[in-house]
Structures are given as structure tokens and as C-alpha cells.
Amino acid sequence: MLRLPPFTYLQPKSVRQALRMKTDAGANGMYVAGGTDLYPNMKRRHQEPKVVISLAGIRALGRITGGTRGSELSVGAGVTLTELHTHPRVRNGYSALARAAELVSTPVLRNMGTFGGNICLDTRCNYYNQTYEWRKAIDFCMKKDGEICWVAPSSPRCWAVNSSDTAPVTVALGAEFVLVGPDEERLVPAARFFRDDGINYLTKHPHEVLTEVRLPPLDHWDATYWKLRRRGSFDFPVLGVAVWIKWDGGLVADARIVLGAVASYPKEVPEAAQLIIGSELEDDVIEAAAAAAYKPSKPMDNTDFGLAWRKEMTRNYVRGTLQELRTRRKD
Amino acid sequence: MGGAEGGSADRRSGGLVHRSADPANRRTAEPALRVVGTAQRKVDAVAKVTGQTLFADDLFLPRMLYGKLLRSTQPHARILCIDTSKAAALEGVKAIVTGQDLPIPFGILPVSQDEHALCPERVRYIGDPVAAVAAVSEETATQAVELIEVEYEPLTSITSVQQAVATPEPRIHDYGPHGNLHKLINLEFGDVERALAESDYVREDLLFYEGSTHLPMEQHAAVADWSADGKLTLWSATQTPHYVHRALTKVLELPASRIRVIACPNGGGFGGKSDVFNHEIAVAKLAMETGRPVKITLTRDEVFYCHRGRHPTLMWVRTGVTKDGAIKGMHFRSLLDGGGYGSYGVASAYYTGALQTVTYNVERYKFQGARVFTNKAPCGPKRGHGTPQPRYALEIHLDKIAEDLGKDPAELRLKHLVSPDSITANYLRVGSVGLETCIRKVTEGAGWKEKYGKLPYGRGVGLACSSYISGAGLPIYWNAMPQSGVQLKLDRGGGVTVFCGSTEIGQGSDSILAYIVSEVLGVGVEDVHVVTGDTHLTPVDLGSYSSRVTLMTGNAALQAAERAREILARNVAAKLEVPMARLAFADGRVFDTEGPHNGMSFAAAVQLSEAAEGTVGTVGSYTPPDSPGRYRGAGVGPSPAYSYTAAIAEVAVDAASGIVVVPKIWIAHDVGQCINPVAVMGQVEGSVYMGLGEALMEEMAYRPNRNVIQKMPSMLEYKSPTTLEMCDVVTYLIEDPDPNGPFGAKEVGQGPLLPVAPAIANAVYDAVGVRIDEVPITPEKVLKALKKKEKGEEPRYGPHSFPEIPWPEPIRVPPPWEGGDGRAVPAGGAAGGEGGAETGHPAISPAPTAPSVPSPSSPERQH
Ligand SMILES: Cc1cc2nc3c(=O)[nH]c(=O)nc-3n(C[C@H](O)[C@H](O)[C@H](O)COP(=O)(O)OP(=O)(O)OC[C@H]3O[C@@H](n4cnc5c(N)ncnc54)[C@H](O)[C@@H]3O)c2cc1C
Ligand code: SF4
């Protein structure tokens, strides 16, 4: 079996304690929640923390509150994906999020994996998610231990993919993240939490703890999430499409279309959303939006399936999500 | 998934068992069977379900060390130097061995002794082992391996079959016909060119079958122990302990009598554990060096590097038919990507050309096969060994021919089936053939007539058939001994112990022994104890490969049990004063059939016999019949019996994405006779599952431009179906007993995989009108073909050329109906001719008896 490298495991009982431990450990310390991303990565020597600080014992991170009568829904970062997608208020009001969470990996992983961990998920690439020996055989890559990007050898940057299922939905819904650091607490809109960089993929400081996700109150909006992958379970997305629409009567008053798994961050395509605002989602409008989303969808050759096909599917998926929302139009 | 439906057949198994209606076909008319043919629990089921089964990795011996292999990070390179000093200095490291310590080569086939436990001077693929460490913990061993420094001088690597054919230098191995060609085969049974010229219609196709790996749940593991008195014991997750035994003897230069190999229950094998592996030898050497037990358990990546899976195969086929669809002549070419070593490859290459003739009559047949070396993980036997690829080609090719001739593909096949008890153009002796029933069952079950060509756009059905061997007629190394042996020991308490060298890989081989002995001796299955796969305790059985186990160990067990029965009957008859023939063995008793109260318990019968004759024990063994083929190359293909399968797949194709979903497969398999129908169903469904994976997604992919590294050696990224992708399966078990099988039984472990991929490909064509002449049938390929169709181009995705190969002079063997006697005709002084020149090669078969020569249309029936 691949073995974990040796490390010290700490179990704080509060966020404050966790922050102190992280400050003490410095760059050698890392947070872990469910560990479904971090531990496999440590086995492959992607991350090599000497001190692992578990957030699993912090009660405060496991709550779901609000979401009734026009209030925001607050979801603790430590809520597991299973809890998230089975929670009645999430299922009823925030079905796109429930759906994204339910589509993550397998039941076993969802029982361990958390919402916060899913949002902070390391970017992925099939030159990177490999054992140390494998990576050694291609002389590593710039994301870890090497110099070059094998996906785009002339590129100065890493194109590893944001492969979280819930991340694009949080951006589409306009969620806000609560980040707590040693000195301050800040509220960051989901869209500004992610960065278009395979290596530095979050704007979060390494010492900050993501404690809570705030989802906007229910108010004549609707949303959905479609995931493309090889198999009906287990697999990361090779394309995700999250769409949020605010209805005004039969018309689209506002919209956001977000593509997952085709870039290092959940990629909003405002040029496509712009086309549907003011429309009733007529067929030709949907077609135009699908075409507009297709253009900036630029997957690279670093996931399952070929990039041309994944790009092509963007059109189908945007069309499909918009058609779904049209049939469910909320007045 | 699973389940069965329709029909009025026997439902005892929860499945459908169809016996041939024609009583003449039931050539092994048996008295009523009590155990054979009924649903039975597997003898190891409770232990497996409750977690008590000890797999190799579950073994912990006192003072045990942990071993780890250092594997090459270069696809093709010379080893200039290995510096182990830093690793040796690490605390907890007890031994380090390299290629210098194990200089003797080995290989599963006598003709391909091209592997070393640890590469002495050259590495041939990424993952090729170069050093091994034993240390006090797995962590320390891992750390030590990382400290070993290897200096490589890279060599040009060969990344594809095309490159291998075109690039003779550098040679990956210095044997084989030349350059990087490992094996070339050219066999001709009758004048095929003339047959094609005389045909009403000739069609040519090119197809490609991608490589795939076995993906067993259990990673390979082995534990070695070197005793103070110089004896070696190896526990291993292996399908072939006998061959491992031989290789250890050779490489370690120890007498075979001082080596004991114990095959642990395998957590799945599928052919992936039937080779001799580097770690099995290295772990033994480490145990010898340290005087302590050592265990090596491979990581999942390492299992991918060991591979020995399906050969990627490019195929070209040209067939001439009459207006009626009768095959006048067929010319088949295959080109196999062998990877870095020989493994079973020579046999695999022969298998890509051997079984084309056993389903439909082929009047004249020509086969040209080539296997090349490339710098990839070695390919070998995977479920169906060498035959799913040509079956894919042939069944699609036939589907196209049927369309070209305006015939229904099912009707076309039914018209030209091989007759039972006949000999094919390439001298395979076929026994029972239940294929007609198979085709009728699936076409009725699936509603073929109502669906084929009639479903709405996007939905389709496809049919394919196949056949597979029930054990290879010849062993891997030439010898005149039986392929399988069984010893029986009868206990005074009434228990019976069966000793047999066979290996349980989850397929139920241990259970088969218990059922058969229980059947013959009339004791309960639970009174039979099975000891298998231990070279100290059990007589040789060659291993769990080539679907040989039920037929061969079954026959050996049958013989041993009948001999034991004879001993008991003799003594009981004397005691009861009734003729032996009147005795029955049932319900744990031996009694007079004419007065059942007059009898005794089985235990009493054993005691009586032991008192009279001494310890009661018997042996049984099995040697397959000789094959009529007597040309060089005739060794691959012959089998005591052939199973037959027909399958219909229904597919739904989304034309917007190219995604293919398979909701249902109807499959009928002629197993001769079910020993345990539930186990047979399990094998059929498992085969469908594996076939589905190969058809739709599995792909042993490499990055040729990135050091020929395997693209995704992980359970997550190597895509294999989950239960969600698994289709519904309707299984029909057809029983056309074969006189060579125990109770008439034939194989089921591999055959049902074969028709799955071509049935799906044919169904895709029926659904959307595009031909995908290449597996896996991915959405990308389907979409590309659909786009070509839209543009009015050839609606097809598949290969476009077959490289020029310097074929040797053909070995010409006239088919039986053209006066042939199974021998090659001497041709212009060319090599080939008589008997077998390649000693020890599986592809030779000196047959002492002259074959009978029937024609394909007038079968010779033997009863
Ligand atoms: C086989 C497999 C399949 C998978 N399939 C999918 C899939 O289909 N879709 C998908 O989206 N994901 C998938 N995952 C990834 C992963 O399981 C999930 O994303 C999961 O939600 C991660 O949560 P976790 O709690 O286990 O994260 P962890 O592994 O505990 O943490 C992940 C990262 O987030 C950081 N982190 C976690 N919580 C916090 C916090 N509160 N504050 C600050 N930092 C934090 C950690 O330091 C770490 O860097 C898969 C993983 C595996 C192994
Ligand atoms: S995108 Fe390039 S740099 Fe980033 S992980 Fe993949 S290969 Fe490495």
C-alpha cells in the first residue's frame, strides 16, 4: 500500500485553538477536514505537512442554520457532503447545491468529505495526481517538484483544474464564505475566493479557516447543476455547468452561468448570461447562450476524455441546464 | 442486474437451464444427479463473507520483514550503475538485492525466457524492477528504495506497433525473427486466394482492439520464508503455483524438492496472476539473504506495471462468401503490441488466429499473426486470452457481410454453423456445439425480429457469437504427464479430503472438486474437505488459466472418486452379500438399491475397507486427448471441448454527445452441463461486466511523447464500469454435454466475455448507422463518426492501414476435406513442415495418431 509520510496529528476543539496551532506550525502545518483529498495527496507527496490540524472535532463547523422565511442559509464548512445533500432545507430551497454535493464521488467519500474541503479542494491534473515515482519518471511538473508544465510546455503557468462540484454552484448562487484568521474575520464572495492559477488556486490565506458558507435567501430564483463524467459514480467532473436565474414574471431578470472543471477556477461566462437576461428562454436564445458559453470553455488535456469533446459538450450542457430551468420557470 | 426471464425451462438455479431437446445430444446419460446441476453454496463462501479467508497480504509471520521493489523510471535504458550505499545505511534496512544477485532469466513460456527478477543491465518499460529492499517496516523499505540511485543511459524507446515494425534498432530483445518483431506466424489451410477469387462476394475490414488490464480487487502479494535447514516456502497470490515453482527452482538454483509454493486464495485474477512475477522471486531471494520471512505487497500502481493484460491488437480480415453467406475463404491478419517482454505472448499471438474456425464453417483459412516488442508494460493473458480481439473483428465483419448480402445477421450465422463432432480447417476437433440453441434463445428472448433494424433512431440491437476453449490441449512446457492430478483420502469418520494443485481465484474451483466428489461418493458437500494449490501437499494441476480447471480437475476428481467408490463398493458388497452393481452411494450411506435398508453409513464403509485393505486413498488424473493438428503451430487452439455463446446487446446512443448506454444484454452460453448453475450464472454475468468495460471505456493508455508513461495507473482514472454502468443481463444456460467434460461440463469463465463488445458495436450501428471498428467505443469516437456521416463521408471510426510485415513462408496444411492429414506439406524447402521444432513451445503438437478426416458438411459423430 502507498504509505503516508510521518506527521503530527492535532485535534483542536475550537477554531481559535486551530488557528493557534497553525500559527505555531507555520508553513509546515495544514488543516484537514474529512481528509478525502489531503490524505491521498500526502501519499503521493503532493502536500507534505509535518503537522496536520484536524477540524473534524470543532462542533461549531458542523451546523446548518437559517434558510427560512427570507433569511440566508448558513452552512458550516465541516458539514459532510452527505449531511449537505440530505438536509431538507438544502434539498428544498437549494436543490442545485444538494445535487452537486450528491454527485461528488461515492457515498463512502461523501460520508467523510466536507463542504469546506470540497470548496478548498486542490486543483487536479493527470500529470499531477500520480505517485511520486510516476512523477519522477516524467521529471515532475511545476505544480510540485518540477519546472515545466507538461500540459502546455511553453506556458509559464499551471493549468490544473478546479474539479470541485460544489464550487461552481456557490459562485452561481452568489454565496459568501466566512474566513477566520488569527487577527481578522472576513466575508468573501465565492467568485473572489478562487483564482485562475493551478498552483495558487485560492485567495484564502493558508492560515485562514473557512468556517461557514452563506447562501442567499430564497427569492424567485432558481438554479441547477449538471455534471459530466465518465461513470455515474466515483468520478470527478470533466465539465460542470451551474446556472442561476432570477425570474421576473416570465422573464429572466438576472442570471449567472458558471463552468466547472474546464479551468483552474469556476469560470463565470457573463457573455452567455447576458444573452438570456430579458428573455423568456426561447429556443434561439438558449442556443445563442450555449454558443457563447462554448467559446470561452477551454479545457486542457489533463483530465479524463479529450479536450475537444469536453469543449463540445459545454454547448450541450448549457443548453440542457437552460431548458431544465425553463420548464421549471418560477413566476 | 442479473436475473433471468421467460421460457419454460428448469428454474432450480434461479436461472434458466436449457437442456438440448434432442436426447441423442445428451451423450453422457447419467443416472439422476443429486449435487451436480443444483445450486450449491461455494465451499469458501462463508469464510469469504465473514472475512476469515487469508489472502497473501493477510499473512504475518514472526520476525517478518517488508520488501519493496525499486522500479525503473525510464522506458528503455541501459543501467550504468546502481548505488545502494545510502539505502543500505538507513536504519532498519536488512538486505538489498539487484540484478547481479539474480542473473538467471526466466519466463512463463520456454521460448520466451526473457525476464529477470531484477533487471541486470537494461530496463524495458517504466515500472521494470531494478532493485529490492527488505526492511523492518513498509515505510522504511519505501524510504530505502527512494535512496537507491540508478544511473541510466536512455535508449530510443519504441512506443507503437507501427514504430516497432519500422524500427529494427535498438532491439528491445535480442531474439525473435528480427528487429523488434517477437513472433511471426503464417499458416495457410487451403488455397485462400483461389477461394476468394471464386467467391460471390469478398469483403475486407480493418479493426483495432485496445489493450486493457485485469483490475483484480486484490493487489499481488507474496510472503517468503527460508528455513534454517535450507528450505524455501512462498505464499503467493498466484493462479499458477506450479509454474512459479519451476521458475523459482531455475532462478534460485534450488532443487524443486526444497521449494514449496502455496497459492493463497486470489482476490481476483482474470489472468493477471498467471505469470511468474518479479516480486515472487525477489521476495524469496530477500528471505534467503536475511534468514527472515519477507512480504511484498504491490501497490495499485505496481499492479498496473505488472499488467500482462489484453494485447492491443490491430486486425485485418478479408473474407469471401457465397451469395448465401457461406464462407469460402478467410484471410486474417493480426498485429499485437506485446510490451516489453514475452510473457504468454507467443501463445496470445496464436490465439488471435486459432478460433475463427470453430463457430461458422470456414472452408479455407489463412492466418498471419505478428507480435512486436514495445517499451510498455508486458501484455499477456486476460480473460479470453487472445480471442476477444479477433472475435470483435470477425463478428463485426460478419454483421457487415450480412448487411451487404441483405441477410439477417442471425439467419446468416444459423445457416453456417460448425457441426458437432467435426474437425475444422485448422484441425481443431470440435465436440458438442450448442450455438444454434444459444442463437435461438437470445433472438427469441430479445425480440430480435421485432427490434433489429426497426427501433427508433438512437436505439439499436446487435448480435454476436463466440466460442472458447475448455482448457488448452497442451501444457505450457512440453511434457507427457497429466495436466491435472487429484488425490483422495477417505477418513474413518466419513470425511473425504481432496488434494489438488488447482488454485481458487474466486471462480469456484475448490467447490467444483467438492461437488464432484460428493456426487460420486454420496456424501454431503460439507463432508468433503478441499486442499488445493500447495506444491508440497497437492498433486500438480497446471493452474487457473485457459478455462481448464472444471474440465480437467473435474475429470481427475471424477476418476479418483470413482476409484474410491470401487474400493468401498467391493468391500461393502462382500459384507452385504449383494453384487457391487446393485450398490448405491447417497445421503452418506452405501446401500442395496433393491433393499435400501440393507446398507451402512459411509463412515462404516470406509472402516470396513480400511480394515480389509489398509488406508483408503486414491488418485485420479487427466490428460487431454491428442489433437489432430500436426503442423508447427498446431499446439494453440486444441481443447477437449469448446463452449459456445451468443449475445444480443441493446443500446441507446445519444447522437448529440455520442454517449452509448447499454440497458440490457441477453446472453446464452452453452456450458455443456452446469456443475453449479449459480456459479455458472455468476461467471456469465461477470464476463458480461468485463466485456462491457472493454467495449465502452477500458483503455491501457500511454503517453508516447512523455516517456511512454502509463496515462492513468490508478483505480480512479483507469475507467472501468461501476454497478451503475452495469446493464441488465438475461442469462440462458444451455446444456449440450460434451463427452470430454466431467458430467459433460465445458467452460464458462471466459467465453461469455467474447461476444459482448462486438454485439455492442453492431448495436451501435443499428442505432445510429455508424461503424465503430475500434474498442473502446467512446463518446468521442461515436460523435466523430456521426459527424463524418453528416458530411457524407464514410460513417466509421477505426484504423485505416495495416503495416507491411515481412511474413515468413506460410506453413501450408491442406484442410481435412482437401486430403490433408494435419501435417504441413513441404513447401519449397521452407521451414515449417513436420512436427514441432520449437521444443517446449505451446504451439507444437506432435500427434501420435492420425486424425479422421471428415468434411465440414458431413460431420462424423462419435457417441
Ligand atoms: C476517489 C475520489 C473521488 C472524488 N470525487 C470527487 C468528485 O466527484 N467531486 C468533487 O468535488 N470532489 C471529489 N473528490 C474530492 C474530495 O473527496 C471532496 O472534494 C471532499 O469534499 C473533500 O473534503 P474533505 O473534507 O475530505 O477535504 P480534506 O481532504 O480534509 O481537505 C481538502 C483541502 O481543504 C482544506 N480544508 C478543508 N477544510 C477546510 C476549512 N474548513 N478551512 C480551511 N481549509 C480547509 C485542507 O487543508 C485541504 O487542503 C474525490 C476524492 C476521491 C479520493
Ligand atoms: S497543468 Fe501543468 S503544471 Fe499544472 S499540474 Fe498539470 S502538468 Fe503540472
Side-chain angles (χ1 to χ4, degrees), chain A residues 125 127-128 141-143 148-152 157-160 302:
Chain A
C125 166
Y127 284 95
Y128 167 72
C141 78
M142 77 167 69
K143 185 158 159 74
I148 196 171
C149 169
W150 292 112
V151 173
R157 60 162 285 193
C158 162
W159 298 89
N302 55 359

Side-chain angles (χ1 to χ4, degrees), chain B residues 419-443:
Chain B
S419 311
D421 305 312
S422 59
I423 294 183
T424 65
N426 56 343
Y427 289 88
L428 302 180
R429 186 190 283 126
V430 169
S432 80
V433 179
L435 186 53
E436 180 178 345
T437 319
C438 290
I439 296 176
R440 296 206 187 282
K441 275 293 155 199
V442 292
T443 48

Side-chain angles (χ1 to χ4, degrees), chain B residues 28 85 115 124 164 195 233 247 288 307 356 383 394-395 400 422 485 488 506 527 553 555 628 687 753 768 789 818 857:
Chain B
T28 48
S85 55
E115 297 190 52
R124 296 181 170 88
T233 305
M288 291 167 72
H307 188 45
Q356 275 83 335
R383 204 174 197 169
L394 185 57
E395 296 296 315
K400 295 179 182 179
S422 59
L488 275 196
D527 298 316
T553 69
N555 277 324
S687 296
L753 180 148
V768 289
K789 190 178 172 203
E818 291 181 14
S857 47

Side-chain angles (χ1 to χ4, degrees), chain B residues 494-649:
Chain B
V496 181
T497 310
V498 194
F499 299 87
C500 177
S502 61
T503 48
E504 175 62 58
I505 60 171
Q507 87 281 43
S509 61
D510 279 5
S511 303
I512 290 294
L513 295 168
Y515 303 150
I516 288 178
V517 169
S518 154
E519 180 69 58
V520 176
L521 295 180
V523 294
V525 173
E526 60 286 355
D527 298 316
V528 182
H529 314 291
V530 181
V531 179
T532 51
D534 182 330
T535 60
H536 263 20
L537 301 181
T538 61
V540 167
D541 172 75
L542 294 182
S544 286
Y545 64 93
S546 88
S547 271
R548 49 181 298 290
V549 183
T550 293
L551 188 136
M552 299 201 193
T553 69
N555 277 324
L558 189 57
Q559 187 180 60
E562 280 172 348
R563 286 174 175 171
R565 184 178 156 125
E566 170 98 18
I567 294 171
L568 301 192
R570 181 162 64 229
N571 290 289
V572 174
K575 172 90 177 173
L576 300 182
E577 297 181 338
V578 299
M580 270 170 73
R582 258 176 45 196
L583 291 179
F585 286 63
D587 298 330
R589 289 183 75 238
V590 185
F591 56 88
D592 181 2
T593 44
E594 292 184 8
H597 58 278
N598 187 23
M600 64 183 74
S601 70
F602 182 80
V606 174
Q607 290 163 16
L608 187 71
S609 305
E610 192 173 336
E613 303 188 22
T615 303
V616 187
T618 58
V619 296
S621 53
Y622 181 75
T623 308
D626 287 320
S627 152
R630 300 175 70 186
Y631 55 92
R632 180 174 169 179
V636 176
S639 175
Y642 297 84
S643 75
Y644 286 89
T645 320
I648 289 176

Side-chain angles (χ1 to χ4, degrees), chain A residues 30-40 44 47 55 61 77-78 81 100 103-106 109-110 112-122 124 163-166 179 201 204 206 208-211 227 229 234-237, chain B residues 716:
Chain A
M30 271 190 88
Y31 298 122
V32 70
T36 62
D37 185 45
L38 185 66
Y39 292 137
R44 303 186 205 104
Q47 281 97 41
L55 306 176
L61 299 183
L81 295 170
L103 290 173
V104 172
S105 191
T106 63
L109 265 127
R110 292 194 295 271
M112 276 311 282
T114 64
F115 189 19
N118 193 247
I119 289 167
C120 299
L121 186 66
D122 191 6
R124 298 183 61 85
S163 305
S164 161
D165 281 304
T166 64
L179 297 179
Y201 45 90
K204 182 180 93 62
E208 282 176 319
V209 174
L210 167 64
T211 56
K227 172 178 184 172
R229 57 176 160 180
F234 206 23
D235 287 337
F236 281 94
Chain B
L716 174 63

Side-chain angles (χ1 to χ4, degrees), chain A residues 3 134 137 231-232 235 306 309, chain B residues 138 707 710 719-720 725 780:
Chain A
R3 312 302 301 196
W134 190 101
R231 301 169 295 184
D235 287 337
W309 186 75
Chain B
E138 208 175 342
N707 239 357
Q710 267 183 48
K719 303 300 181 187
S720 184
E725 283 69 52
E780 288 142 306

